[in-house]
Amino acid sequence: MHHSTRELRLATALVAAADTLAEGFDATAHLRRVADHCVELLAARAVGIMLIDDGRTVSMAGSSRQEEVALDLLAAQHGGGPCLDSYGSGKPVPPVSIRVAHADARWPDFTERALGHDIAGTFAVPLRRRETLLGALNVFVPTLPNGSPHGYGSDVLVAQALADATAVGLQNHRSYTQYRTLARQLQEALSSRVRIEQAKGMLAERWNVGADQAFVALRQYARRRQLPLDRVAQTVIERVADDAELRREAPGPSGRPS
């Protein structure tokens, strides 16, 4: 790949990896796209991404090219592998020959599966955002340059850049989702409060009592029937509430004490 072309593709891939603030965001599809960019940039056989939370794998995604191979190799790492090592250390696992690792009994389940898929070498980089580790990105290559893994140094840097951008995107989306959830909850709480105040005012005017007495009636009615206060208020606003039953809950001469 021409040097300037690769740089342009890398820049495009980095922007795409960090772009997660979209409606209907699908994390698995997003990670698959990141893996696809990685395959293209590194001429890899396949790429897999594993998200890990508190030491437990929570999600796996593979490149569209050889997706089954990528997912199989990620799943084979339950007893150990480059993804778990990278996540555990927070550092890249440098390129390694699968045959050498297998002979050394390093990650035996994973290396045996990788040999079955004709994978020659692999390396992994962590998905990290400052001190927060989210998982790891694993690259599977069909050949080693001159029989040695050391020629993949620049590829590790490219993979780490993509992994870092992906981690930023995932963290931003998590924060975005949390803020949106909080905003929705606050809006719902405000709307509920407005409905309750409106119902209080309607009852106070209808019964010619104070707003506090009307509120007590609403609250007691809701408690006795184990209904949300907001729902009772809505029935008052919609004029479908049982006015006589509500009135009995009001303190004072016309109702019973709370």
Side-chain angles (χ1 to χ4, degrees):
M1 188 183 298
H2 192 274
H3 186 63
S4 60
T5 302
R6 190 188 196 199
E7 289 180 344
L8 178 60
R9 290 182 178 178
L10 175 58
T12 300
L14 291 173
V15 171
D19 184 12
T20 58
L21 303 185
E23 294 295 331
F25 175 75
D26 184 320
T28 300
H30 178 71
L31 294 178
R32 186 184 299 114
R33 287 191 292 271
V34 171
D36 287 346
H37 282 298
C38 204
V39 165
E40 180 183 6
L41 286 163
L42 304 180
R45 170 85 179 280
V47 171
I49 299 176
M50 184 184 295
L51 296 186
I52 304 171
D53 186 16
D54 196 24
R56 182 175 61 87
T57 301
V58 295
S59 180
M60 296 188 299
S63 53
S64 299
R65 185 185 304 174
Q66 300 289 333
E67 183 174 17
E68 290 185 6
V69 171
L71 293 176
D72 191 39
L73 291 174
L74 291 179
Q77 298 185 45
H78 58 84
C83 272
L84 296 183
D85 282 11
S86 183
Y87 174 80
S89 67
K91 299 177 181 179
V93 171
V96 60
S97 163
I98 295 296
R99 292 192 180 280
V100 171
H102 189 65
D104 292 342
R106 183 183 184 186
W107 318 315
D109 292 342
F110 166 73
T111 53
E112 183 173 351
R113 195 80 61 88
L115 288 173
H117 288 300
D118 294 324
I119 301 299
T122 187
F123 60 89
V125 294
L127 262 68
R128 62 194 181 194
R129 173 60 173 153
R130 296 195 178 98
E131 302 303 317
T132 303
L133 287 166
L134 304 179
L137 183 151
N138 206 170
V139 179
F140 309 107
V141 295
T143 60
L144 295 173
N146 301 320
S148 167
H150 301 298
Y152 280 102
S154 64
D155 286 355
V156 174
L157 295 178
V158 169
Q160 187 63 73
L162 272 172
D164 288 346
T166 301
V168 169
L170 291 174
Q171 283 286 77
N172 285 346
H173 185 265
R174 183 176 299 176
S175 298
Y176 173 71
T177 301
Q178 291 173 343
Y179 289 141
R180 288 200 62 179
T181 298
L182 178 59
R184 184 174 63 252
Q185 290 172 341
L186 290 173
Q187 182 58 52
E188 289 173 353
L190 177 60
S191 298
S192 174
R193 186 63 187 173
V194 168
R195 284 191 290 271
I196 292 169
E197 290 297 321
Q198 185 178 352
K200 269 171 49 176
M202 291 175 65
L203 292 180
E205 183 177 0
R206 186 185 308 164
W207 297 343
N208 195 27
V209 299
D212 289 345
Q213 291 175 285
F215 177 71
V216 169
L218 283 169
R219 185 181 61 193
Q220 288 293 96
Y221 183 93
R223 283 179 178 175
R224 293 186 195 280
R225 290 156 183 80
Q226 296 184 330
L227 295 171
L229 183 58
D230 177 63
R231 187 185 301 176
V232 175
Q234 187 64 37
T235 64
V236 172
I237 295 169
E238 295 175 353
R239 301 184 183 278
V240 295
D242 188 327
D243 193 72
E245 287 295 320
L246 272 169
R247 189 72 179 90
R248 291 192 186 98
E249 300 292 353
S254 300
R256 64 189 178 198
S258 60

